[in-house]
Amino acid sequence: MAAVAAAWSSSSPWAGRMAAAFGAPFLWLVCLIYFIQGFRSFVWTAVSYQMKDMMKLSPSTSQFLVSVAYFPWSIKPVYGGKWINMCTAFGDPTVNVKRILSDCIPIKRRKRTPYLIISSCLSLFPWLILGMSEPLRSSSNFLTALLIVQNLGSAMADVVIDAMIAEAVRSAGPEFAGDLQSLSWSSMAVGGIFGSLLGGYALSNLPIHVIYIIFSALPLFQLISCIFVEESPKGFESTMDNAAPKHVVDQSIDVSPGKGSSESYKYEGTRRRKGARRNNKRKSLSKRPEDHDKNKSINLRPYLSLKSAFFSLCTAFKQPTILRPMAWFFFSNVAIPNISTVMFYYQTEVLHLEASFLGTARVIGWFSLMLGTYIYNRYFKHKKLRNILMFAHVGLAIIGVLDILLVLRLHVHYGITDKYMVLWGSALADAINQFKMMPFLILSGQLCPPGIEGTLFALFMSINNFGSTLGSFLGAALASSLSISSAQFDNLALGLGVQLIGTLLPVGFLFLIPKEVTGLTS
């Protein structure tokens, strides 16, 4: 793997410059982890078919189980703070990283590699178990539990590699910040494209349990790659000192040493012959309480750092300038009942769309996502965020109308095929979603106060993810209340109508977003 990274670094001057600054093994690890994040579509498509075809679950039940499985992405601040380079958006090339778990509780004096190894194992073993044990993958309880563990590993790997990127940029220089972030996002996009393409092909030619085993090779590569990335324990004590509150560090340094030094000078001035002997005795006695206090303070530092980070987080989040915008983004996700799993059932059971076509539609969605990012940065970043968010929700409402037309079969009268409706609806939805996600990232970066940027940004991302999770639960409840099943989709149009109303509802609360904020630095 190191040889592959070295060969890649010698293929272009840019790659060689990056390898010289960060090292080929580190770049390989960054590319691999982000590639896996995108390639997850390869195996999660198989999970959807497992629930529908093998387990015969209803659409609402599948939606509920998937929502539960993705819950670990909503608690990312617990095991790490999300770092993101926003230099292209608001000109800050580096972000001060501060985490709750991985920074405060190192493992064997290392803060990154052990957590990365743990996350790789959590991502690896669930897929192996699902691939080799038919009873476990056929049980909804065991399947959900294993998917929760797998998502926990993926989310942990995501935040740890973000931390490693932040630290690497801080040591190499801010001129590399945009390059590393572009490399990571490009790797994820490439992984998403290949995962969507190969996922549809694999489902048409391979059993589902074989797909699970094939995908487990990627977390295994990630686990092996951790061996080649060196993390020096140097600076551990200084890092822990910085993590602890200042008064604790001052106490461990000032109190005991002062007493020992005064005793030694007193006895040295009175008796010259026995001065050295007594001085040594006094020093040995004074070191005992000093060492005891120092060890005690070091043992308390993880707890004190956790407590300090928690209270700093609460204090910052209570500020209206932070609370109001985050409340809007949270509400905008909760208000929209997510019935994507129900639409998947409809597309496969009623429209009889093949897995290969659905994979192609997701590929178009990835390209649309990148196109939406480019259009936003090129034409919309100077606009006010209120107007951009209103445009995004109105656009998503139009996509909802297209879904209603698809379910009511009104497009057939105009000679439009089902595949075109699904393909372009998916493409437009992914592109328009970027006009909501980009303002969220920009505003979150602007609102973070100095000192807790990493942890607070992680909280923002988790709030956004948690809102989406609650929206998925709401969609599952909506599908269940409308009695939508694998063979009964009569009320699906009504459910889409409720989703349409929920999409437009957050527009009325845009006053929570700062009025004059644009896509540039405020």
Side-chain angles (χ1 to χ4, degrees):
M1 283 169 289
V4 173
W8 169 76
S9 64
S10 62
S11 61
S12 67
W14 177 80
R17 184 171 61 90
M18 293 282 288
F22 302 105
F26 174 73
L27 294 179
W28 163 260
L29 188 63
V30 171
C31 292
L32 179 61
I33 291 179
Y34 275 96
F35 179 86
I36 294 174
Q37 294 290 359
F39 200 79
R40 279 158 51 89
S41 57
F42 172 84
V43 71
W44 276 92
T45 304
V47 172
S48 300
Y49 277 94
Q50 167 84 22
M51 293 180 175
K52 182 178 74 72
D53 295 335
M54 304 298 178
M55 302 173 66
K56 305 298 182 182
L57 299 179
S58 65
S60 59
T61 302
S62 296
Q63 180 86 42
F64 177 81
L65 295 182
V66 171
S67 303
V68 173
Y70 271 93
F71 180 76
W73 289 89
S74 301
I75 56 173
K76 289 167 66 176
V78 174
Y79 40 83
K82 180 76 174 177
W83 174 85
I84 188 169
N85 171 40
M86 303 296 292
C87 62
T88 56
F90 50 88
D92 187 8
T94 58
V95 180
N96 182 22
V97 181
K98 187 174 183 180
R99 276 153 189 83
I100 293 182
L101 183 60
S102 62
D103 270 357
C104 300
I105 309 179
I107 299 176
K108 291 186 177 181
R109 303 181 67 188
R110 287 172 170 83
K111 301 182 296 179
R112 306 297 176 225
T113 307
Y115 284 97
L116 202 55
I117 292 174
I118 292 173
S119 66
S120 301
C121 294
L122 293 177
S123 300
L124 169 63
F125 291 111
W127 295 122
L128 286 177
I129 295 173
L130 289 175
M132 294 186 295
S133 176
E134 182 178 358
L136 291 182
R137 66 173 177 266
S138 300
S139 170
S140 58
N141 292 331
F142 282 109
L143 176 64
T144 305
L146 290 172
L147 292 179
I148 291 174
V149 173
Q150 190 278 325
N151 273 308
L152 178 62
S154 298
M156 184 181 295
D158 179 69
V159 297
V160 171
I161 196 63
D162 283 343
M164 296 175 71
I165 290 175
E167 292 171 346
V169 169
R170 195 160 49 201
S171 61
E175 65 272 12
F176 291 99
D179 293 334
L180 260 186
Q181 196 63 52
S182 299
L183 178 65
S184 60
W185 285 358
S186 299
S187 301
M188 185 170 62
V190 171
I193 292 171
F194 278 96
S196 299
L197 279 176
L198 297 178
Y201 174 81
L203 282 169
S204 303
N205 297 275
L206 297 174
I208 290 180
H209 71 277
V210 176
I211 296 176
Y212 294 155
I213 296 177
I214 292 175
F215 182 81
S216 65
L218 290 178
L220 178 60
F221 290 155
Q222 177 179 310
L223 179 61
I224 297 174
S225 299
C226 297
I227 302 174
F228 298 94
V229 178
E230 297 182 359
E231 181 186 355
S232 174
K234 293 180 180 180
F236 170 78
E237 293 296 337
S238 62
T239 305
M240 293 300 296
D241 288 341
N242 292 334
K246 186 177 184 300
H247 67 275
V248 177
V249 181
D250 292 341
Q251 288 176 2
S252 65
I253 295 176
D254 294 339
V255 177
S256 298
K259 182 178 179 180
S261 60
S262 63
E263 295 282 354
S264 64
Y265 281 116
K266 181 176 67 175
Y267 280 91
E268 183 179 6
T270 56
R271 297 183 180 179
R272 303 178 67 91
R273 292 183 179 180
K274 297 182 180 181
R277 185 185 305 173
R278 293 189 178 184
N279 191 22
N280 292 334
K281 183 177 179 180
R282 292 291 181 175
K283 284 184 178 180
S284 63
L285 291 175
S286 63
K287 283 182 180 179
R288 293 175 185 175
E290 174 187 354
D291 294 339
H292 175 73
D293 292 341
K294 185 174 181 180
N295 292 333
K296 183 177 179 181
S297 64
I298 291 176
N299 293 331
L300 288 176
R301 281 171 192 170
Y303 167 76
L304 294 172
S305 182
L306 285 169
K307 184 177 180 181
S308 175
F310 176 76
F311 282 107
S312 299
L313 204 62
C314 293
T315 302
F317 197 76
K318 289 179 181 179
Q319 299 178 11
T321 55
I322 295 177
L323 182 60
R324 288 163 59 91
M326 289 303 109
W328 185 90
F329 280 104
F330 177 78
F331 174 72
S332 68
N333 289 324
V334 174
I336 304 176
N338 185 353
I339 54 175
S340 58
T341 302
V342 180
M343 288 300 297
F344 167 75
Y345 273 69
Y346 179 79
Q347 292 168 0
T348 55
E349 295 294 328
V350 178
L351 303 183
H352 303 291
L353 299 179
E354 304 87 358
S356 58
F357 173 78
L358 295 179
T360 303
R362 291 189 178 93
V363 171
I364 300 298
W366 276 101
F367 281 111
S368 300
L369 186 147
M370 292 185 287
L371 179 62
T373 303
Y374 169 78
I375 293 175
Y376 178 88
N377 288 325
R378 182 69 175 84
Y379 299 104
F380 283 85
K381 65 181 181 179
H382 296 280
K383 307 295 183 182
K384 293 182 179 180
L385 291 188
R386 283 189 182 184
N387 296 335
I388 297 174
L389 292 172
M390 183 177 66
F391 166 79
H393 273 262
V394 171
L396 292 175
I398 294 175
I399 301 300
V401 173
L402 294 179
D403 288 337
I404 294 176
L405 295 178
L406 175 67
V407 172
L408 295 178
R409 316 295 297 156
L410 297 179
H411 61 286
V412 178
H413 301 294
Y414 299 96
I416 303 175
T417 63
D418 296 333
K419 289 186 176 181
Y420 275 111
M421 290 289 290
V422 173
L423 191 65
W424 294 110
S426 174
L428 291 174
D430 288 328
I432 294 174
N433 268 320
Q434 281 302 94
F435 290 91
K436 181 179 179 181
M437 191 62 185
M438 291 297 291
F440 172 76
L441 296 176
I442 292 169
L443 189 59
S444 299
Q446 293 178 359
L447 292 176
C448 290
I452 56 170
E453 299 95 330
T455 303
L456 192 58
F457 195 93
L459 181 61
F460 291 163
M461 295 297 295
S462 297
I463 289 173
N464 192 61
N465 293 335
F466 184 59
S468 299
T469 300
L470 292 181
S472 296
F473 283 126
L474 182 61
L478 178 62
S480 179
S481 63
L482 294 177
S483 301
I484 299 176
S485 64
S486 301
Q488 183 72 21
F489 294 94
D490 293 341
N491 294 326
L492 180 55
L494 178 59
L496 291 171
V498 175
Q499 185 185 55
L500 176 62
I501 296 174
T503 304
L504 294 174
L505 195 60
V507 177
F509 295 88
L510 281 173
F511 61 87
L512 296 174
I513 302 297
K515 185 177 181 180
E516 301 299 329
V517 173
T518 66
L520 298 177
T521 307
S522 60

